[in-house]
Amino acid sequence: MRNDDHVSPVSRGRKKAKNRRSGTDRVLRVVPDQPGPCHCPDCSDDGPVPADLIDDLLAGGALLIGGDQPMDALDAEIFGANFVAAGRMAGADFQEVLDAGILPAVERAGTPAALAVLLALGATEAAQRLAAAGVPAPGWAGELAQPVRPGTFLRYADAGDTVSILIGTFERAGSSHGFAVNVDHQDCHAALDIAFFPGELLDDVVGSIQQNRDGGPVLTGAPLDHAEFRWQAERALNARSVHDADDGPAELDEDDDGLGYHLLAELLRTRTRIMPKPRRAPAGHADRSLVLDPVAMFNRAVERRLPPKRKKSDGPAPVYQLKVGLRGAKPPIWRRLEVIADTSLAELHRLIQIAFGWNDGHLHVFETAYGDFGVADEELGHRAEKPVTLEQVAPEPGDKFRYVYDFGDDWQHDILVEKVLDRQDGDYPRCTGGRRAAPPEDCGGIHGYHDLMAILADPEHPDHDDRVTWLGLDSAADFQPARFSTIDVVIPGTPRSSGR
């Protein structure tokens, strides 16, 4: 599971580092902030590149050379990274369209704004042709031509190496900037997010991590050489790219500074390319559909493609009324929950643990029509649960899936989407009904639980006293399997929505 506790310390460093000027935000907004349809010749009846797209780019170029505040080389790179990130999210044909359509169209404009755009997009040869034709270059062109040099590289990780933060700084023409990459090693080593900060705030960023103000696991730092930082960063970025592709179409995100993950990932990739190639081979992304069990292979073969996540433009998610029943329990044991539909499966796992009184001391998995989701495990064929939402695996009322807890005792919970409700006043999630207490953990599964109840009901049974002692009770009368009240289901840290 991803550990978001380690996002905020770096984010605090970034908020203090809000040095990108208002002019940069204006440049970013010239380029559409959401990926549009693919504009390759096969997908468009209007020719390879729509004129309004070129007009938008040239308008951005005009801001790069003539905005209210002077721009620098980093502003230009951010402009270029934003456009490229949006393009890559629009379709796999983007690079072909960029090279064959967009860049030639910009070059044909032949204006100073066109030259600025070409420089920002790294189209060096086309930019040189315009400069040779007498088109004046922007004031930051000389700075952009200066080499970028690696600076300081660190890695902070917890004792179990489940999460880490990669920190790297880079220098050019007397100024420096840095990236902090949050990495979740339990989710295929994928990047969670990226923070961007001025190089002079490196000590502040490191200090916020070391102070551990969020109370999470302590992170210990160690220096990285240039090649190792490149290997670690590219592994994180590549894994995130695969997961984003699996999740379907996404929006180009932005934070408060207008610098979202995908933009910064594109910019960081340009930085890692200047560093020495690692001595070890690039990390491959595990094929999470690879399982050796024939039955699991068959199940995997018939899985459907996971629907895309809800977008911000889709509006707020509705509320799902779920009935979660413990399979094989006689009399029935169940809980009724009201959960916002875009809640992650990782959060749903937490809610089920609370509702049934489990201790979360064992492995678990959600078995769905779209695959098995839990703590990512290649051997078990489990994909990471945190990036996946409830409504992705159960899109319609009446949909069912299963939650299995403790692979030894094999507590199987059948989950049914009973209704889709409008949001009402009050906090979500919440437990609105149920029946009977859940079995104690480690009692041998549902059959062991039935045996336990029979033994406790028979004072003459030779194991009666041992079972009472094992449960920590004074007498069998204290064991109340029929008792349940929603008042006892207290959900700490109740969120109103899982977000994206």
Side-chain angles (χ1 to χ4, degrees):
M1 293 179 289
R2 297 175 181 172
N3 190 332
D4 293 332
D5 290 341
H6 299 294
V7 177
S8 54
V10 177
S11 297
R12 279 195 296 271
R14 180 186 59 201
K15 297 307 179 188
K16 293 169 64 177
K18 195 169 183 178
N19 73 323
R20 305 316 306 159
R21 296 173 293 279
S22 59
T24 300
D25 296 335
R26 291 170 56 196
V27 171
L28 289 170
R29 285 196 291 269
V30 170
V31 181
D33 61 359
Q34 295 183 15
C38 178
H39 296 298
C40 68
D42 293 335
C43 300
S44 175
D45 296 331
D46 301 324
V49 182
D52 57 355
L53 177 60
I54 302 303
D55 290 343
D56 283 342
L57 273 173
L58 294 175
L63 284 178
L64 283 173
I65 61 176
D68 294 338
Q69 297 191 28
M71 298 295 169
D72 59 22
L74 189 55
D75 292 316
E77 287 189 289
I78 289 173
F79 174 91
N82 187 66
F83 181 76
V84 171
R88 294 197 194 286
M89 294 170 67
D93 297 321
F94 169 73
Q95 190 63 50
E96 177 183 351
V97 176
L98 180 66
D99 294 337
I102 296 174
L103 295 179
V106 171
E107 183 180 356
R108 284 194 295 271
T111 63
L115 178 54
V117 170
L118 294 174
L119 289 171
L121 294 177
T124 306
E125 293 182 1
Q128 289 174 342
R129 287 193 292 268
L130 285 189
V135 177
W140 43 260
E143 180 186 352
L144 186 65
Q146 294 294 312
V148 176
R149 302 187 187 281
T152 300
F153 299 96
L154 303 167
R155 180 178 185 268
Y156 283 83
D158 66 335
D161 204 32
T162 59
V163 294
S164 68
I165 299 176
L166 302 174
I167 297 177
T169 64
F170 299 85
E171 303 171 356
R172 177 177 55 199
S175 63
S176 65
H177 53 274
F179 301 83
V181 186
N182 287 274
V183 182
D184 185 353
H185 297 281
Q186 296 188 33
D187 188 20
C188 307
H189 312 283
L192 277 169
D193 75 351
I194 303 174
F196 183 81
F197 58 91
E200 60 267 24
L201 289 184
L202 173 62
D203 290 342
D204 290 345
V205 172
V206 169
S208 68
I209 296 172
Q210 293 174 329
Q211 290 174 14
N212 191 25
R213 296 172 185 169
D214 292 331
V218 175
L219 302 185
T220 302
L224 292 178
D225 63 32
H226 297 172
E228 181 62 18
F229 177 86
R230 175 175 179 172
W231 191 90
Q232 296 263 356
E234 290 182 344
R235 175 177 68 171
L237 297 176
N238 292 342
R240 171 67 180 267
S241 293
V242 173
H243 294 183
D244 285 348
D246 288 345
D247 289 341
E251 296 179 353
L252 187 64
D253 59 327
E254 290 186 4
D255 65 7
D256 292 343
D257 296 333
L259 307 180
Y261 171 83
H262 296 94
L263 183 158
L264 290 174
E266 194 67 38
L267 187 58
L268 179 56
R269 285 187 186 278
T270 67
R271 295 294 183 260
T272 60
R273 295 187 191 112
I274 72 168
M275 305 174 78
K277 289 186 177 180
R279 290 179 290 275
R280 49 178 167 164
H285 187 276
D287 180 359
R288 291 179 289 183
S289 68
L290 179 61
V291 288
L292 301 180
D293 176 54
V295 175
M297 291 177 67
F298 173 79
N299 292 337
R300 187 73 64 186
V302 299
E303 286 170 10
R304 291 173 283 175
R305 181 174 177 82
L306 189 68
K309 284 185 180 179
R310 174 177 295 272
K311 297 180 181 179
K312 294 178 182 178
S313 57
D314 295 331
V319 174
Y320 275 11
Q321 178 177 298
L322 304 178
K323 184 175 182 180
V324 185
L326 190 60
R327 176 177 282 263
K330 297 179 181 180
I333 300 171
W334 56 270
R335 303 289 183 264
R336 179 166 284 117
L337 304 174
E338 291 184 359
V339 182
I340 293 177
D342 63 355
T343 294
S344 72
L345 292 186
E347 174 65 9
L348 182 60
H349 154 69
R350 183 180 79 98
L351 301 178
I352 294 173
Q353 289 285 312
I354 294 171
F356 281 83
W358 300 124
N359 297 325
D360 199 9
H362 302 280
L363 294 174
H364 68 276
V365 67
F366 289 94
E367 297 176 348
T368 80
Y370 305 93
D372 296 342
F373 301 92
V375 175
D377 190 307
E378 181 180 355
E379 293 184 2
L380 295 177
H382 297 173
R383 297 159 64 185
E385 63 187 2
K386 190 163 186 178
V388 181
T389 64
L390 170 58
E391 65 182 339
Q392 284 183 280
V393 300
E396 303 291 340
D399 284 345
K400 300 177 181 179
F401 59 106
R402 186 171 297 172
Y403 169 80
V404 181
Y405 173 61
D406 187 349
F407 299 163
D409 281 5
D410 195 33
W411 301 110
Q412 299 185 27
H413 307 69
D414 292 324
I415 303 175
L416 168 66
V417 180
E418 291 185 310
K419 298 178 181 178
V420 177
L421 308 172
D422 293 331
R423 295 200 197 194
Q424 305 294 330
D425 292 338
D427 288 338
Y428 296 102
R430 57 196 181 196
C431 180
T432 61
R435 185 179 179 189
R436 300 184 68 84
E441 292 202 35
D442 303 318
C443 68
I446 197 64
H447 299 296
Y449 179 53
H450 290 153
D451 291 342
L452 174 64
M453 288 194 294
I455 292 171
L456 292 174
D458 181 5
E460 302 302 321
H461 193 284
D463 294 330
H464 179 86
D465 292 343
D466 287 343
R467 295 295 188 271
V468 172
T469 301
W470 179 74
L471 288 169
L473 303 176
D474 294 330
S475 71
D478 296 329
F479 183 68
Q480 301 179 20
R483 185 182 185 282
F484 172 76
S485 172
T486 57
I487 297 175
D488 297 330
V489 180
V490 179
I491 302 175
T494 297
R496 288 186 177 271
S497 174
S498 65
R500 289 230 36 218

